[in-house]
Amino acid sequence: MFAKLAAVIAVLFTVLSIGTAAAPLSDMTLIAENEYLALYINEANAEVAVLDKSSNQTWYSNPQDWNTGEKIANGTTKNQLGAQFIITYDRDNSEIIRDSYNHSVQLGQFTIVPIANGVRVEYLVNDLWQSDDYIPQVISKERMESVVLSELSAKDQNTILSNYGLFMLVELKEGESRVDVPGLRVRNLSKEKIFGNYTLLILDPSYQNRLADAEALRAQIDQLQQQIAASPSGTAEMEALQKQLKSLEDNYTKQINSLNKEKADFIWELLNKIADMRVDYVRLGLEKITFDHVKQFVNTPTYMLKQTPPFVRQNMVKVLKTTSYTPEDVIDDHIANNVRAPYPNIEVFRIAVEYVLDRDNLVVRVPMDQIEYPNRVPDVDGIKRTYPLKNIKLLPFFGAANMASEGYLFVPDGSGALVPFKHDKNTSTIVRCEIYGRDSTLDPLESVSVWQRQAHLPVFGMRSNNSGFVAIIEEGDALGTIVADVAGNRYSYNFVYSEFTVLNRGRVGLDRVGYINTYQMRPYQGEIRIRYKFLDAAAADYVGMAKYYQKYLIDKYQLQPTDTGGAALFIDLIGAITVVRPVLGISMPVTVPLTTYEQAQEIATALLNEGIGHLYLRYTGMLAGGIRHRFPDEFVPEKRLGDRAGLNDLLEFAAENQMPLYLNVDFMHVYDQGLFSGFSSRRDAARLLNNSPAVVYNYNIATGQRIPAGIGNYLSPSRLSSVINSFVSELKPYQVSGLSLAGFGTEVYSDFNKDPQLFIDRQQSVQILQDQMQQLVQEEGLDLMVDGGNAVALPYVSSIVNVPLDTSGYPIASERVPFLPIVLRGVFQFAGQPLNMSSNIRRELLKAVEVGAGVQFVWSYADSSLVKETDFDAYLSLCYRDWFEQAIAIYREINKVSEALQGARISDHQKLAHNVYQTRFDNGSVVIVNYNDYPVQVGEIEIGAEDYLLVRGGI
Amino acid sequence: MKARCLVTLAMTLLLVQFWSAAAAAAPYQSYTYNIHGHAVPAPQAYEPKFAVTGDSLQIGSLKEPQDIFVGKHGIYIVDTGNHRIIHLDHNWNVISVITKFDNNGTADAFKSPHGIYVTDDGNMYVADTENGRIVILEPNGSCVKTISVTKSDYDAFDQSFIFKPTKVAVSQLNVIYVISRNTYDGILTFDQEGTFRGFIGAPPVTPSLADIFWSMIATEEQRKRMALFLPVEYNYVTVDQEGYLYATEGNVLRRLSPTGNDLSRALGFWEPIGDINATPTSVFISVAPRDWGSYSVLDRNRGRVFTYDVDGNLLYVFGGIGNQLGLTQTPSAIAALGDSLLILDSRLGEVTVFEPTLYAQLIHSAIDAYNRGDYAGSADYWQQVLKLNANLDYAYSGIGRAQMLNGDFAAAMASYRLGNDRPGYSSAYNRYRHTMLAGSFSRIMTTAAIIFVVLHILTRLGLFARLRSRAKELKQKLMPREVAACRGDFRNLHVTGKRRLPVGIWMTFSGLYYSLHVISHPFDGFWDLKHEKRGNLGAAVILTALVSWTYIFMRQQTGFLFNYRDITNQNIYMDIASIVVPMLLWTVVNWALTTLMDGKGTLREIFITTAYALTPFVLVNIPLTIISNYITLDEGTFMYIARFISLFWSFTLLFFGTMVVHEYDLGKNILITGFTVAGIATVLFIGLLFFNVIDLMGAFVIVIYRELFMRV
């Protein structure tokens, strides 16, 4: 599948429309174009824009007026609006947030590379060099002049040179003494050892001038001395001369001392710079300096940076940055002069973002394998450091709409939810939807407090004024969390994006003293790919988005619609459960049958006799051990439900009546931990980040606290294939036509094994699930059913139950829309939660009618009281006799609707009034549903309280 | 001006939207508590319908509202932060917003009012907290009277007493009940004139010995203070239609008579304390009285509403903390509007209206039918409740009651058993057994007579004598030659028998058999046990196993009426350990002490003695456990007596057995028994210490391992 996708990307659209449209974007450069779209990039800040030619609408990666338009955020936070991505990484125990604008574009650390049909922007995040790293400490005069000064004006030259001292080493003249350097004496260092037969000569003009002055004075003194020697002694004239001599000598001594001190300081400074030199970045130390370290100065005039205050250095850096002289050149010069070379900042990240036009889509990619992050890189002290890159928020402000805009954000929470740009809720919460729910193998939650629906689809979108876009996460979806926020909360813009957790962090408790962080083996290695489709005024709403996504799925996977008209009645039969009962005083797990094979057939017969056309039977808990059945590495039906012939009878009965029958099997969770179960948690269980086997927990429904004793383990995705293969191989003697894969439509989890061979990230896990489902469908010819409806499973299944038909009801995402049902309708047979477990059957029924869904019941033959005081007490209303007649009545009601729809897809859906919705199907039928407990008037017709109106197609 | 009009229009539209059912499921999980204190799933009882804010009422946001009251004349919200009372009709139309009132000709206002009660004639009683008074307003908003009390009014008041009324309630007899902040003496009562009449509702203090001692040496003045110190700080009070008071304090709700007698009932599995076994515990802050003495009480900690019937049976739970519709952030009060419940959220300044689902309506109907005397109708409703929730014990009891009245005792037993209703089951079983016995009296008597006659004839024919001699023969055939020789039973040696048992097994079984002799003849029994080697280690080990098994059997198979254990949580190893460990400890400690005090018993002998001494425990409790399945609660006393006898018998045997085996006199044996018990305590203490150290070391090793292998 990956290969196919890659091919789609590779066969890039080559037909470019000739006669490029005049750029509507003044500061942007056209970089790719096809007949649908034109891609522009701003070379100054790497912002990207796409012109949708059909609607003539331009979409920007960042709001164009953020500098002036942003009223709420300021400083770095405000600048984030200019970013194409925001990353999060760990520095020890603190979490650091960096973005492409503040920490790359502003530093000029990005490169724009045109690629086929698009552009690639390579970012380097965080300053590679510290500011001082631009300033050479010691540099030969020749290099200084040729490389640095040549590019500078006289004024700038002066700015630089005024902070340097020029010197060189010259051969010691006969009898000349070296300058006494204070520190050297203290350390008992030998001047001879360091300077050998050479002495340091300061070549600064001012120093030279003063030296000349002193020499002149010396000459004067010499002259005076000769004069005194020539004059007779004891005279007054003599005394005057003597006095003059003394004053001159004093003056000379002062001058020469001052010069010597200056020189001594100079040498001390130089030696220290050299002493600081590192051989493999270990400090050399003054005592180790030998002539070898300084011999390059012999007869070579060289500049040395004098002590300068920081603000002066800042000025110098400013000047130096205008030249082509870089810290890399500084390194060369420093190495040449045996001075410590600047060490590049290791805390830097290299990330590339690619924008490619693919027909009428904009595809944005982040190739993760090309991401560079500091992973065991030695720092300046030689300590190996890792700054794990955990999270990437990609194009957080793509299409961001300002406060004046009208529209909404779409998030895939449950059935789908809208975040209206303007709302009256007094809240500062943002909406976060973890795609495919939480990863079960992350550290298990201590408690659950928030009631929420799952996001099953990797899709988000926006309607802004009269246009919109829908974004489909094609790769990296399992790592994604969709985030939506409205203007007035953190920013003055409405925006929706997805962030990707590419590396998970876990915590290992250390007794009571604290914890240490532990990370997954390696970051995600695939790529992150989001496909944006721009919608014109006619399609720029959630229905348009859903229809586009449906079309996308159908085209990509060549899906065949399974709906043939008529409502589907899904019956989930519970076979057996395990309860603990005393046997001779000893508590033992005992399997209690709730629906035997024969009874299942009896229920099905009764339903068929009532004329139910589309009966979909799922048989849960028919494997040995019941619902929490034994490790399914072989197919063992529960004996207490009947013998093999009984099971075959049931399967044959289903085949004869063309009634799909799905045997429910749970490959993901292993409950049977017996010695001979064939399962070893050490070998077969998925691991948590702390490398312990992942445990399935229950939570106290009153307090939300985790119940410490786990009830099972998660099977490692790496073992899935062999378990499924051996299970399926034993199905041969039976006429099994369908399997229901528990968890495949609701769960995706990683295996954070510390063994790199066994480690499986969440995206790899998606691939494994898909491979398995594909094999079951294509090689085994099985019909598949899942719960929930994660996009992972959609290409391979024909029916889906427990599809969410409502949302979590977050304050700002309170508007429920049937996005998921619109995608499913007409392609899959699906139903929501079991009606007999819902608190308001009428409402659930109306929800099914609204989107043309089927209905589901979960039943047992035995009395419901058998589940009381067992682990399965959530099945609190189970007995089929309690529900049979009501189910028939409900089925007849929705069947009337479904027959009118004849497998049609949804073409439009809108809210007519509060709690009144109208759905239009593409065969022309219309359903109007009134959820209110009072009648409403729609046009001429009154719709009763909690009722609906069906208008058949063609009328 | 025009813009303002538009805004008003928009508001009105918004308002209309609120008055209808939400199309979404409730964002919380409903549950109930079963007999083991486990929260078990239940269907939603109430679902949020809509939320009312000050803005939606067009009266400006509510600020920290603290109380809501529903009366005959409408809904009243105490908007504490805005110092006003909002009066709405039952359809949420604003009738008036009271910010000022006429107090004897002067304009007056509230200051942080916290509570309100409205009588059926429409008079409003407002707890005007910061003004330290109760304000009584007529329906038209003019002030009738203000009530206040100072410490000089009542000599029992604490010196620091300041009247800060937070909640107020009024009975039909116009007695005014007030909760004042920082008052620990109970509920203040005032008569209709506003005269303070004292406190009610403080629970009687049961003085400890220390209290009595201190009061004896205290001065008159101090004694007076002490007598009044009844630490109870109620935070809510209200009065229901029948005049009963409901007052809350922590997770305690008291239902009081108008004179302050505590009429609270806790006949459910658990006291009505909100969440069971939860930390932190529930904190009740408001009560809504419901029909037939039921009440809904609001828990501030988890934002939940618990509804109990008059007996304290938990009916249903709903609500939670969060930010979706139906969840609250800081709940402050609850009120019932017909079947709907209104929850006031002081942080969000909104009232959420909850509507009962079918499930809750059925429960209400069932209770209503029962209280009206329509037991069959009640059972029908309970049957429908059960259809929706197979986990609700109370519903099974409800059905059981009706089945009892119909005389269907067997069915009633099954229902009561499912409902874990032991008194109900007991009486149903009693009646069932009675009818069974009465119905088949002649059959039973005939059977008994036939058995008697047959036995008599068989005895006459000498069948039993023959059987006995056969058994003797068999015994001789099985007896190992060595044993026969040892006993000097030379005749036996000539008996031909190929299947003679090995000596070890024979000895073990005869040792086991001997235990029956020991328990009835302790002195010579134990003497022979030691000196004649009549007992042996094998038999003792089997006896220990039997004792352990009996204990497990007892815990699991004791009849439903006497067994409250959650069998799913049985830990068989713990059960065995709780028998074997004390036995071994006794043996070892006793041996260690007696070797120092010239006891004659060896370790082996002490263990054998101990095991033999526990024989009555096995002999009595196995049949007793079986019998317990066939008796009623009243007859349970006999079972407990028999169980006590078995233990007393065993310990007596143990005492005398020890005495005999060590050849001690009575005094010394008492002494050594005491020492042994003390020794066992010491060993346990050291053992715990040791395990603690081991545990710490283990944790240390784990930490080291994690540091080494998990650190990146």
PDB file of all heavy atoms in Angstrom, chain A residues 509 585 587 702 808 839 868-869 873 876-877 915 933, chain B residues 21 47 49 304 324 387 390-391 418 420 556 570 706:
ATOM      1  N   GLY A 509       8.862   5.014  37.821  1.00  0.00           N
ATOM      2  CA  GLY A 509       8.909   5.462  39.209  1.00  0.00           C
ATOM      3  C   GLY A 509      10.107   4.861  39.913  1.00  0.00           C
ATOM      4  O   GLY A 509      10.455   3.704  39.710  1.00  0.00           O
ATOM      5  N   GLY A 585     -16.297 -25.438  48.103  1.00  0.00           N
ATOM      6  CA  GLY A 585     -15.688 -24.473  49.000  1.00  0.00           C
ATOM      7  C   GLY A 585     -14.558 -23.699  48.364  1.00  0.00           C
ATOM      8  O   GLY A 585     -14.011 -22.788  48.971  1.00  0.00           O
ATOM      9  N   SER A 587     -13.238 -21.271  45.285  1.00  0.00           N
ATOM     10  CA  SER A 587     -13.716 -20.423  44.196  1.00  0.00           C
ATOM     11  C   SER A 587     -13.014 -20.784  42.900  1.00  0.00           C
ATOM     12  O   SER A 587     -11.794 -20.826  42.850  1.00  0.00           O
ATOM     13  CB  SER A 587     -13.446 -18.952  44.515  1.00  0.00           C
ATOM     14  OG  SER A 587     -14.090 -18.615  45.701  1.00  0.00           O
ATOM     15  N   ALA A 702     -17.261   4.601  39.696  1.00  0.00           N
ATOM     16  CA  ALA A 702     -17.690   5.701  40.570  1.00  0.00           C
ATOM     17  C   ALA A 702     -16.582   6.731  40.735  1.00  0.00           C
ATOM     18  O   ALA A 702     -16.800   7.925  40.594  1.00  0.00           O
ATOM     19  CB  ALA A 702     -18.113   5.159  41.925  1.00  0.00           C
ATOM     20  N   SER A 808     -18.481  14.183  22.006  1.00  0.00           N
ATOM     21  CA  SER A 808     -18.150  14.320  23.420  1.00  0.00           C
ATOM     22  C   SER A 808     -18.836  15.526  24.041  1.00  0.00           C
ATOM     23  O   SER A 808     -18.892  15.640  25.251  1.00  0.00           O
ATOM     24  CB  SER A 808     -16.639  14.475  23.591  1.00  0.00           C
ATOM     25  OG  SER A 808     -15.961  13.501  22.862  1.00  0.00           O
ATOM     26  N   SER A 839     -30.147   4.878  27.036  1.00  0.00           N
ATOM     27  CA  SER A 839     -31.083   5.396  28.021  1.00  0.00           C
ATOM     28  C   SER A 839     -32.309   6.004  27.366  1.00  0.00           C
ATOM     29  O   SER A 839     -33.296   6.257  28.018  1.00  0.00           O
ATOM     30  CB  SER A 839     -30.394   6.438  28.898  1.00  0.00           C
ATOM     31  OG  SER A 839     -29.797   7.408  28.081  1.00  0.00           O
ATOM     32  N   LYS A 868     -25.355 -10.472  36.712  1.00  0.00           N
ATOM     33  CA  LYS A 868     -25.263  -9.698  37.955  1.00  0.00           C
ATOM     34  C   LYS A 868     -24.128 -10.246  38.817  1.00  0.00           C
ATOM     35  O   LYS A 868     -23.934 -11.452  38.909  1.00  0.00           O
ATOM     36  CB  LYS A 868     -26.595  -9.830  38.692  1.00  0.00           C
ATOM     37  CG  LYS A 868     -26.718  -8.949  39.895  1.00  0.00           C
ATOM     38  CD  LYS A 868     -28.145  -8.975  40.408  1.00  0.00           C
ATOM     39  CE  LYS A 868     -28.275  -8.192  41.675  1.00  0.00           C
ATOM     40  NZ  LYS A 868     -27.833  -8.916  42.846  1.00  0.00           N
ATOM     41  N   GLU A 869     -23.385  -9.337  39.424  1.00  0.00           N
ATOM     42  CA  GLU A 869     -22.250  -9.695  40.276  1.00  0.00           C
ATOM     43  C   GLU A 869     -21.204 -10.520  39.534  1.00  0.00           C
ATOM     44  O   GLU A 869     -20.592 -11.423  40.103  1.00  0.00           O
ATOM     45  CB  GLU A 869     -22.714 -10.389  41.554  1.00  0.00           C
ATOM     46  CG  GLU A 869     -23.279  -9.390  42.560  1.00  0.00           C
ATOM     47  CD  GLU A 869     -24.095 -10.039  43.665  1.00  0.00           C
ATOM     48  OE1 GLU A 869     -23.568 -10.962  44.280  1.00  0.00           O
ATOM     49  OE2 GLU A 869     -25.235  -9.617  43.875  1.00  0.00           O
ATOM     50  N   ASP A 873     -21.166  -7.233  34.255  1.00  0.00           N
ATOM     51  CA  ASP A 873     -22.419  -6.614  34.671  1.00  0.00           C
ATOM     52  C   ASP A 873     -22.758  -5.362  33.864  1.00  0.00           C
ATOM     53  O   ASP A 873     -23.812  -4.769  34.070  1.00  0.00           O
ATOM     54  CB  ASP A 873     -22.419  -6.329  36.178  1.00  0.00           C
ATOM     55  CG  ASP A 873     -21.225  -5.527  36.615  1.00  0.00           C
ATOM     56  OD1 ASP A 873     -20.512  -5.020  35.729  1.00  0.00           O
ATOM     57  OD2 ASP A 873     -20.993  -5.401  37.817  1.00  0.00           O
ATOM     58  N   LEU A 876     -26.336  -4.951  31.254  1.00  0.00           N
ATOM     59  CA  LEU A 876     -27.348  -4.976  32.299  1.00  0.00           C
ATOM     60  C   LEU A 876     -28.768  -5.148  31.777  1.00  0.00           C
ATOM     61  O   LEU A 876     -29.702  -5.132  32.549  1.00  0.00           O
ATOM     62  CB  LEU A 876     -27.235  -3.720  33.169  1.00  0.00           C
ATOM     63  CG  LEU A 876     -26.903  -2.396  32.487  1.00  0.00           C
ATOM     64  CD1 LEU A 876     -28.063  -1.896  31.720  1.00  0.00           C
ATOM     65  CD2 LEU A 876     -26.428  -1.413  33.502  1.00  0.00           C
ATOM     66  N   SER A 877     -28.896  -5.309  30.483  1.00  0.00           N
ATOM     67  CA  SER A 877     -30.245  -5.469  29.939  1.00  0.00           C
ATOM     68  C   SER A 877     -30.130  -6.355  28.717  1.00  0.00           C
ATOM     69  O   SER A 877     -30.041  -5.885  27.610  1.00  0.00           O
ATOM     70  CB  SER A 877     -30.799  -4.103  29.558  1.00  0.00           C
ATOM     71  OG  SER A 877     -32.020  -4.250  28.912  1.00  0.00           O
ATOM     72  N   ASN A 915     -32.304  21.265  17.034  1.00  0.00           N
ATOM     73  CA  ASN A 915     -32.660  19.847  17.136  1.00  0.00           C
ATOM     74  C   ASN A 915     -33.553  19.356  15.997  1.00  0.00           C
ATOM     75  O   ASN A 915     -34.236  18.354  16.151  1.00  0.00           O
ATOM     76  CB  ASN A 915     -33.338  19.550  18.476  1.00  0.00           C
ATOM     77  CG  ASN A 915     -32.311  19.407  19.578  1.00  0.00           C
ATOM     78  OD1 ASN A 915     -31.137  19.164  19.313  1.00  0.00           O
ATOM     79  ND2 ASN A 915     -32.742  19.561  20.803  1.00  0.00           N
ATOM     80  N   ASP A 933     -38.999  17.670  22.124  1.00  0.00           N
ATOM     81  CA  ASP A 933     -40.160  17.024  22.706  1.00  0.00           C
ATOM     82  C   ASP A 933     -41.432  17.851  22.454  1.00  0.00           C
ATOM     83  O   ASP A 933     -42.368  17.822  23.223  1.00  0.00           O
ATOM     84  CB  ASP A 933     -39.949  16.750  24.201  1.00  0.00           C
ATOM     85  CG  ASP A 933     -39.510  17.975  24.957  1.00  0.00           C
ATOM     86  OD1 ASP A 933     -39.490  19.063  24.345  1.00  0.00           O
ATOM     87  OD2 ASP A 933     -39.193  17.864  26.151  1.00  0.00           O
TER      88      ASP A 933
ATOM     89  N   ALA B  21     -35.146  19.340  24.442  1.00  0.00           N
ATOM     90  CA  ALA B  21     -34.255  18.248  24.821  1.00  0.00           C
ATOM     91  C   ALA B  21     -32.963  18.303  24.024  1.00  0.00           C
ATOM     92  O   ALA B  21     -32.963  18.633  22.847  1.00  0.00           O
ATOM     93  CB  ALA B  21     -34.955  16.922  24.571  1.00  0.00           C
ATOM     94  N   GLU B  47     -30.950  12.813  32.495  1.00  0.00           N
ATOM     95  CA  GLU B  47     -30.103  13.344  31.428  1.00  0.00           C
ATOM     96  C   GLU B  47     -30.264  14.849  31.387  1.00  0.00           C
ATOM     97  O   GLU B  47     -31.352  15.375  31.620  1.00  0.00           O
ATOM     98  CB  GLU B  47     -30.509  12.731  30.087  1.00  0.00           C
ATOM     99  CG  GLU B  47     -30.103  11.277  29.997  1.00  0.00           C
ATOM    100  CD  GLU B  47     -30.271  10.709  28.616  1.00  0.00           C
ATOM    101  OE1 GLU B  47     -31.090  11.239  27.864  1.00  0.00           O
ATOM    102  OE2 GLU B  47     -29.569   9.740  28.300  1.00  0.00           O
ATOM    103  N   LYS B  49     -30.921  18.443  30.089  1.00  0.00           N
ATOM    104  CA  LYS B  49     -31.781  18.894  28.995  1.00  0.00           C
ATOM    105  C   LYS B  49     -31.289  20.228  28.460  1.00  0.00           C
ATOM    106  O   LYS B  49     -31.058  20.399  27.285  1.00  0.00           O
ATOM    107  CB  LYS B  49     -33.212  19.001  29.481  1.00  0.00           C
ATOM    108  CG  LYS B  49     -34.195  18.949  28.348  1.00  0.00           C
ATOM    109  CD  LYS B  49     -35.606  18.820  28.863  1.00  0.00           C
ATOM    110  CE  LYS B  49     -36.588  18.842  27.712  1.00  0.00           C
ATOM    111  NZ  LYS B  49     -37.939  19.131  28.162  1.00  0.00           N
ATOM    112  N   ARG B 304     -22.080  14.952  41.954  1.00  0.00           N
ATOM    113  CA  ARG B 304     -23.059  13.902  41.702  1.00  0.00           C
ATOM    114  C   ARG B 304     -24.305  14.083  42.561  1.00  0.00           C
ATOM    115  O   ARG B 304     -24.249  14.661  43.631  1.00  0.00           O
ATOM    116  CB  ARG B 304     -22.456  12.540  42.049  1.00  0.00           C
ATOM    117  CG  ARG B 304     -21.310  12.207  41.151  1.00  0.00           C
ATOM    118  CD  ARG B 304     -21.341  10.761  40.738  1.00  0.00           C
ATOM    119  NE  ARG B 304     -20.268  10.546  39.773  1.00  0.00           N
ATOM    120  CZ  ARG B 304     -19.111   9.978  40.108  1.00  0.00           C
ATOM    121  NH1 ARG B 304     -18.896   9.559  41.329  1.00  0.00           N
ATOM    122  NH2 ARG B 304     -18.180   9.829  39.194  1.00  0.00           N
ATOM    123  N   GLN B 324     -18.764  19.588  30.018  1.00  0.00           N
ATOM    124  CA  GLN B 324     -19.815  19.352  29.038  1.00  0.00           C
ATOM    125  C   GLN B 324     -21.176  19.632  29.665  1.00  0.00           C
ATOM    126  O   GLN B 324     -21.284  19.704  30.888  1.00  0.00           O
ATOM    127  CB  GLN B 324     -19.746  17.904  28.551  1.00  0.00           C
ATOM    128  CG  GLN B 324     -18.528  17.629  27.700  1.00  0.00           C
ATOM    129  CD  GLN B 324     -17.715  16.472  28.212  1.00  0.00           C
ATOM    130  OE1 GLN B 324     -17.287  16.461  29.353  1.00  0.00           O
ATOM    131  NE2 GLN B 324     -17.469  15.499  27.355  1.00  0.00           N
ATOM    132  N   LYS B 387     -35.795  -5.104  33.607  1.00  0.00           N
ATOM    133  CA  LYS B 387     -35.562  -5.300  32.183  1.00  0.00           C
ATOM    134  C   LYS B 387     -34.471  -4.343  31.699  1.00  0.00           C
ATOM    135  O   LYS B 387     -33.676  -4.677  30.837  1.00  0.00           O
ATOM    136  CB  LYS B 387     -36.872  -5.047  31.440  1.00  0.00           C
ATOM    137  CG  LYS B 387     -36.787  -5.198  29.953  1.00  0.00           C
ATOM    138  CD  LYS B 387     -38.134  -4.899  29.314  1.00  0.00           C
ATOM    139  CE  LYS B 387     -37.949  -4.294  27.944  1.00  0.00           C
ATOM    140  NZ  LYS B 387     -39.204  -3.889  27.324  1.00  0.00           N
ATOM    141  N   ALA B 390     -30.368  -5.209  35.122  1.00  0.00           N
ATOM    142  CA  ALA B 390     -30.364  -6.474  35.852  1.00  0.00           C
ATOM    143  C   ALA B 390     -29.517  -6.387  37.122  1.00  0.00           C
ATOM    144  O   ALA B 390     -29.468  -7.316  37.901  1.00  0.00           O
ATOM    145  CB  ALA B 390     -29.828  -7.578  34.949  1.00  0.00           C
ATOM    146  N   ASN B 391     -28.827  -5.249  37.322  1.00  0.00           N
ATOM    147  CA  ASN B 391     -27.920  -5.149  38.466  1.00  0.00           C
ATOM    148  C   ASN B 391     -28.569  -4.565  39.712  1.00  0.00           C
ATOM    149  O   ASN B 391     -27.925  -4.456  40.733  1.00  0.00           O
ATOM    150  CB  ASN B 391     -26.722  -4.251  38.111  1.00  0.00           C
ATOM    151  CG  ASN B 391     -25.866  -4.865  37.040  1.00  0.00           C
ATOM    152  OD1 ASN B 391     -25.788  -6.075  36.938  1.00  0.00           O
ATOM    153  ND2 ASN B 391     -25.220  -4.038  36.239  1.00  0.00           N
ATOM    154  N   LEU B 418     -31.558 -12.909  44.552  1.00  0.00           N
ATOM    155  CA  LEU B 418     -30.910 -12.066  43.539  1.00  0.00           C
ATOM    156  C   LEU B 418     -30.751 -10.644  44.058  1.00  0.00           C
ATOM    157  O   LEU B 418     -29.786  -9.964  43.726  1.00  0.00           O
ATOM    158  CB  LEU B 418     -31.743 -12.051  42.257  1.00  0.00           C
ATOM    159  CG  LEU B 418     -31.528 -13.236  41.331  1.00  0.00           C
ATOM    160  CD1 LEU B 418     -32.593 -13.275  40.264  1.00  0.00           C
ATOM    161  CD2 LEU B 418     -30.144 -13.154  40.692  1.00  0.00           C
ATOM    162  N   ASN B 420     -30.189  -9.890  47.067  1.00  0.00           N
ATOM    163  CA  ASN B 420     -29.370  -9.911  48.276  1.00  0.00           C
ATOM    164  C   ASN B 420     -30.140  -9.404  49.495  1.00  0.00           C
ATOM    165  O   ASN B 420     -29.579  -8.799  50.390  1.00  0.00           O
ATOM    166  CB  ASN B 420     -28.102  -9.083  48.093  1.00  0.00           C
ATOM    167  CG  ASN B 420     -27.042  -9.843  47.343  1.00  0.00           C
ATOM    168  OD1 ASN B 420     -26.700 -10.957  47.720  1.00  0.00           O
ATOM    169  ND2 ASN B 420     -26.550  -9.267  46.258  1.00  0.00           N
ATOM    170  N   GLN B 556     -17.222 -20.506  52.347  1.00  0.00           N
ATOM    171  CA  GLN B 556     -17.849 -20.473  51.031  1.00  0.00           C
ATOM    172  C   GLN B 556     -19.268 -21.010  51.032  1.00  0.00           C
ATOM    173  O   GLN B 556     -20.116 -20.478  50.332  1.00  0.00           O
ATOM    174  CB  GLN B 556     -17.009 -21.291  50.046  1.00  0.00           C
ATOM    175  CG  GLN B 556     -15.639 -20.735  49.821  1.00  0.00           C
ATOM    176  CD  GLN B 556     -15.697 -19.461  49.001  1.00  0.00           C
ATOM    177  OE1 GLN B 556     -16.209 -19.448  47.908  1.00  0.00           O
ATOM    178  NE2 GLN B 556     -15.190 -18.375  49.553  1.00  0.00           N
ATOM    179  N   GLN B 570     -12.221 -14.601  46.895  1.00  0.00           N
ATOM    180  CA  GLN B 570     -11.584 -15.547  47.802  1.00  0.00           C
ATOM    181  C   GLN B 570     -10.127 -15.772  47.427  1.00  0.00           C
ATOM    182  O   GLN B 570      -9.779 -15.930  46.270  1.00  0.00           O
ATOM    183  CB  GLN B 570     -12.309 -16.895  47.757  1.00  0.00           C
ATOM    184  CG  GLN B 570     -11.774 -17.843  48.814  1.00  0.00           C
ATOM    185  CD  GLN B 570     -12.065 -19.285  48.485  1.00  0.00           C
ATOM    186  OE1 GLN B 570     -12.269 -19.637  47.326  1.00  0.00           O
ATOM    187  NE2 GLN B 570     -12.090 -20.122  49.492  1.00  0.00           N
ATOM    188  N   ARG B 706      16.230  -0.021  37.756  1.00  0.00           N
ATOM    189  CA  ARG B 706      15.617   0.936  36.846  1.00  0.00           C
ATOM    190  C   ARG B 706      16.585   2.047  36.499  1.00  0.00           C
ATOM    191  O   ARG B 706      16.671   2.464  35.347  1.00  0.00           O
ATOM    192  CB  ARG B 706      14.357   1.522  37.481  1.00  0.00           C
ATOM    193  CG  ARG B 706      13.225   0.524  37.434  1.00  0.00           C
ATOM    194  CD  ARG B 706      11.986   1.081  38.044  1.00  0.00           C
ATOM    195  NE  ARG B 706      10.894   0.120  37.905  1.00  0.00           N
ATOM    196  CZ  ARG B 706       9.750   0.230  38.546  1.00  0.00           C
ATOM    197  NH1 ARG B 706       9.522   1.254  39.346  1.00  0.00           N
ATOM    198  NH2 ARG B 706       8.816  -0.653  38.378  1.00  0.00           N
TER     199      ARG B 706
END
